[in-house]
Amino acid sequence: MQFWATVFLDGLTYASYLFIVSLGLTIIFGVMKILNVAHGSFYAWGAYTAAFAIGIISDNDLPEILFLPAILISAVLVGVVLGYIIERFILRKMYNQDIHLIVLATFGVFLIFEDLIIITFGVDPYLPYQPAMMLGWIDIVGLNRGVYQLSLILLATIVAFGCWYGLTKTKWGKLLQSVIYDREISEAMGINVTKVYVVTFIGGAILGALGGAYVAPTTSVSPGFAIDLVVLSFAVVVIGGMGSIPGALIGSLIVGLLRAFAVHQAPILELFVVFAVMAIVLIIRPEGLFAPPKARKI
């Protein structure tokens, strides 16, 4: 019983921040049809900025209640600044280019921002453990679990509900759906597609940065730590279907639970089981489990 409870809780926690990061990636692809390799930069910069802010609060003996607002503000700040810079000065000039060129461009951006992290924050790891220590631990079926780690599940639930509500119940969501299905018709109807792209990219960037910022107190923030997470995020969107929000949710749960089971049962297979499932999905359903339907032009 404790073994399965451990696998479930660990898998659900890991799937939660994997979902937040993957959600930003799949929203950008769904609206803009861009495979943004630079998404890992948002995750890494979000984590470093939050760790830096937590360090300032802790070193100056400021109230601990400021930790959580600092994490959220760091994510928004990173997402808005980096998202706007990349969309405005790089992607906007490449929308009509081949998708492979865009992938190479975003990969180059990712490498540049990785080096800028070292220049800005140095090579020493950051250990912003204070928010996790502040919330303490809780006993669940005999297992001692950190409240902060479990709060990731709540955050992912809020993000999922917010995205669902925003896309299905608001005017902005209807505009996004229109642009997703046909950009040309949307422009002809007077929709400012450029503005939609900017807001979408910044929103996806904020989600990527939020994943990094919120997970920073649970890990060692060091150069290159975002690479594995980005690779797994791509696995999530491939399994769930590019551009599908339900697919990102289901894909994150599959990857998170499989990884947790492998870590506890056969650590050497930690990554193998994830990519084995991805390969099986690609063979059976190349577009992913929950890929959105494509509009047919007549």
Side-chain angles (χ1 to χ4, degrees), residues 147-198:
V147 175
Y148 185 88
Q149 284 84 344
L150 295 177
S151 69
L152 274 166
I153 302 172
L154 176 61
L155 177 65
T157 303
I158 294 172
V159 169
F161 176 79
C163 286
W164 169 81
Y165 185 85
L167 289 174
T168 61
K169 304 296 183 180
T170 65
K171 178 181 178 181
W172 182 256
K174 302 299 182 183
L175 293 178
L176 282 182
Q177 293 181 40
S178 174
V179 174
I180 288 171
Y181 284 112
D182 198 306
R183 173 182 174 179
E184 290 79 11
I185 295 297
S186 299
E187 289 180 331
M189 294 176 63
I191 297 175
N192 189 338
V193 174
T194 300
K195 181 180 178 180
V196 171
Y197 278 7
V198 172

Side-chain angles (χ1 to χ4, degrees), residues 31-279:
V31 177
M32 304 172 67
K33 302 301 183 288
I34 289 176
L35 193 59
N36 180 32
V37 183
H39 200 68
S41 300
F42 306 141
Y43 177 84
W45 274 84
Y48 267 98
T49 305
F52 183 76
I54 291 169
I56 291 178
I57 294 172
S58 180
D59 292 342
N60 290 279
D61 295 324
L62 297 176
E64 292 183 339
I65 194 67
L66 295 177
F67 286 141
L68 294 181
I71 290 172
L72 298 177
I73 292 172
S74 297
V76 173
L77 181 64
V78 168
V80 170
V81 173
L82 296 190
Y84 178 79
I85 290 174
I86 294 174
E87 195 284 333
R88 175 64 180 84
F89 298 103
I90 298 174
L91 294 180
R92 192 174 297 184
K93 303 178 185 300
M94 304 187 69
Y95 285 142
N96 296 321
Q97 301 295 324
D98 184 81
I99 188 173
H100 301 94
L101 293 177
I102 297 178
V103 170
L104 289 175
T106 55
F107 180 66
V109 170
F110 173 74
L111 296 178
I112 291 171
F113 279 111
E114 282 292 297
D115 287 341
L116 287 176
I117 282 178
I118 296 176
I119 295 173
T120 306
F121 297 102
V123 297
D124 294 331
Y126 284 66
L127 300 170
Y129 59 86
Q130 292 88 346
M133 295 290 291
M134 176 187 69
L135 295 181
W137 289 265
I138 188 174
D139 184 86
I140 301 178
V141 295
L143 300 174
N144 201 26
R145 284 290 179 268
V147 175
Y148 185 88
Q149 284 84 344
L150 295 177
S151 69
L152 274 166
I153 302 172
L154 176 61
L155 177 65
T157 303
I158 294 172
V159 169
F161 176 79
C163 286
W164 169 81
Y165 185 85
L167 289 174
T168 61
K169 304 296 183 180
T170 65
K171 178 181 178 181
W172 182 256
K174 302 299 182 183
L175 293 178
L176 282 182
Q177 293 181 40
S178 174
V179 174
I180 288 171
Y181 284 112
D182 198 306
R183 173 182 174 179
E184 290 79 11
I185 295 297
S186 299
E187 289 180 331
M189 294 176 63
I191 297 175
N192 189 338
V193 174
T194 300
K195 181 180 178 180
V196 171
Y197 278 7
V198 172
V199 175
T200 299
F201 196 80
I202 290 177
I206 290 174
L207 288 173
L210 178 61
Y214 208 85
V215 82
T218 68
T219 187
S220 173
V221 181
S222 56
F225 89 110
I227 295 176
D228 290 343
L229 191 281
V230 173
V231 173
L232 289 176
S233 296
F234 277 103
V236 166
V237 296
V238 168
I239 292 172
M242 297 295 291
S244 170
I245 293 178
L249 177 59
I250 301 301
S252 297
L253 289 172
I254 292 173
V255 171
L257 293 173
L258 281 177
R259 178 184 176 274
F261 179 81
V263 166
H264 289 283
Q265 197 71 10
I268 195 172
L269 300 178
E270 174 186 351
L271 292 180
F272 171 79
V273 293
V274 173
F275 292 108
V277 171
M278 185 180 73

